[in-house]
Amino acid sequence: MKLTLVAGARPNFIKIAPLIAAIQRAQKTGKAISYRLVHTGQHYDANLSATFFDELGIPEPQVNFDVKSGTQAAQTGAIMVAFEQELLANPTDLVLVVGDVNSTMACAIVAKKAGVQVAHVEAGIRSGDWSMPEEINRVVTDSLTDYFFTTSELAGENLRKQGVAKENIHFVGNVMIDTLYQNRPRFKQPDFWNTLGLSTKNYSVLTLHRPSNVDDLNHLTALLQGIDALAGDKKIVFPIHPRTQAILNQTELSLPNILFVEPQGYLNFLYLVQHSYAVITDSGGLSEETTVLGIPCFTLRTTTERPETETIGTNTLVGDSVENLTNHFSAFMQRGLSARGIPPLWDGKASERIIRILIDSLS
């Protein structure tokens, strides 16, 4: 059985790593399974791409399309053209895509048109927010998928409402959490830890990357000023993307409580998160990691495709205004975090379940 695994952006690498490890373990037991790793090059900054391959032990991809950035259409089109040639040159039994980035959708479309089966890891998650490119990618990918691997029962319900047959939906857990558990003993203190005077629980972590939060200078400025004001006696560590930094360079701001650092590799970043007081973010995936690590998370969005991080985990959806964030964060500082748990099957074994299902189905 030949698999083609597709990765293109930081979240993809984190999800692909445990799947490759599970394939390698299956090979050692004599299973007839092989894989070809395709890197689309959607993320090309070293701290967003190469570092993750090194830290997570992901083998060098057999091919890198190196598409880099561009408009949604330009990037998606470039990936589709390159992936079509890839499948012609290297036939496969199944294309496995993960998550909801442009690479996920583009490669699913090409595979299906080539008559190749598609497996989608993290299928069925929905925010209901059609202004998010990721939501479009999710729905399109799931309309083409043959094997639906879900992180929650709710994701399965979403798929059944879409008309997906129950036998094609496999509730397996969360591969991103597989990576967290496998690497938790290796989390690494960043070089700037002592220089910036950091210690456990004396700082919060901030991440911002969604266009709705960072592309408009006035909105971004208001967010950062509000976050700086609510810091209290704790600093805010902000690993800032170069694109966001370029936008901020257009103005002069006084943000004494925010410590700007470069984008971090997986091991350094998760060390920061694990030892933080709280996390403020607009990322969906980070709310999953904070849930397992038991760190309070405040998500600067009006919707989430991962509601279990709110109902079970440590995440609080605070909308996109500084006022809402301040109210929720202040209440947390006064009362603390109520007891929370970890969603079912987020146990570090999702990848094993996925590979076992594929071997049983395709062999």
Side-chain angles (χ1 to χ4, degrees), residues 25-335:
R25 285 192 290 272
Q27 289 172 334
K28 290 179 180 178
T29 65
K31 301 297 183 183
I33 181 172
S34 63
Y35 73 93
R36 181 174 171 85
L37 178 58
V38 172
H39 184 353
T40 67
Q42 184 175 331
H43 274 178
Y44 52 92
D45 181 275
N47 282 331
L48 297 176
S49 178
T51 297
F52 287 88
F53 276 76
D54 294 337
E55 291 186 338
L56 301 179
I58 304 172
E60 282 294 314
Q62 277 74 22
V63 64
N64 186 334
F65 299 157
D66 198 28
V67 298
K68 298 187 178 179
S69 60
T71 66
Q72 294 279 336
Q75 190 178 73
T76 301
I79 294 168
M80 291 179 70
V81 170
F83 194 58
E84 182 178 51
Q85 295 303 310
E86 162 66 24
L87 290 186
L88 288 171
N90 300 281
T92 187
D93 296 313
L94 178 137
V95 169
L96 186 149
V97 296
V98 298
D100 51 22
V101 300
N102 288 341
S103 301
T104 305
M105 180 186 69
C107 293
I109 293 172
V110 172
K112 202 64 178 177
K113 286 194 172 187
V116 179
Q117 291 192 92
V118 174
H120 184 199
V121 174
E122 210 173 70
I125 64 172
R126 299 287 186 270
S127 69
D129 182 357
W130 287 96
S131 70
M132 293 177 63
E134 295 92 340
E135 185 76 352
I136 298 167
N137 292 344
R138 294 172 196 131
V139 172
V140 172
T141 301
D142 282 340
S143 70
L144 303 171
T145 293
D146 299 284
Y147 294 88
F148 301 81
F149 296 113
T150 64
T151 61
S152 69
E153 292 284 11
L154 179 58
E157 290 179 20
N158 292 335
L159 292 169
R160 286 190 288 274
K161 290 176 183 177
Q162 183 181 309
V164 176
K166 184 177 181 181
E167 59 268 23
N168 296 334
I169 302 170
H170 308 277
F171 176 30
V172 294
N174 193 328
V175 293
M176 180 176 278
I177 302 308
D178 292 6
T179 297
L180 188 152
Y181 280 130
Q182 290 168 14
N183 289 279
R184 194 171 185 176
R186 302 175 58 236
F187 290 172
K188 183 181 177 183
Q189 189 179 96
D191 292 338
F192 56 73
W193 179 266
N194 292 325
T195 305
L196 297 183
L198 302 181
S199 62
T200 299
K201 305 301 181 187
N202 84 333
Y203 65 92
S204 295
V205 171
L206 169 66
T207 78
L208 295 173
H209 76 282
R210 295 194 179 276
S212 59
N213 283 329
V214 303
D215 281 2
D216 181 87
L217 178 59
N218 291 331
H219 181 65
L220 176 60
T221 298
L223 274 181
L224 292 178
Q225 288 174 329
I227 291 168
D228 184 80
L230 63 77
D233 62 348
K234 302 180 190 302
K235 294 294 184 181
I236 307 283
V237 179
F238 183 13
I240 187 168
H241 191 284
R243 182 168 169 272
T244 306
Q245 182 66 68
I247 295 170
L248 279 184
N249 288 342
Q250 301 172 29
T251 187
E252 292 186 9
L253 288 176
S254 175
L255 302 167
N257 295 314
I258 297 181
L259 306 173
F260 293 87
V261 299
E262 292 184 349
Q264 299 297 297
Y266 182 83
L267 300 179
N268 284 345
F269 182 70
L270 267 294
Y271 183 97
L272 281 174
V273 171
Q274 179 175 243
H275 292 273
S276 69
Y277 175 69
V279 168
I280 301 170
T281 186
D282 57 10
S283 165
L286 184 50
S287 68
E288 296 175 309
E289 293 163 329
T290 52
T291 283
V292 172
L293 292 172
I295 302 297
C297 180
F298 299 86
T299 298
L300 284 161
R301 290 167 55 186
T302 57
T303 60
T304 179
E305 63 280 1
R306 297 166 172 87
E308 64 274 15
T309 64
E310 274 204 293
T311 56
I312 301 173
T314 61
N315 186 33
T316 301
L317 205 64
V318 300
D320 54 7
S321 73
V322 172
E323 291 76 17
N324 283 346
L325 171 63
T326 301
N327 291 337
H328 283 286
F329 199 85
S330 298
F332 157 67
M333 292 183 73
Q334 292 174 6
R335 298 194 297 266

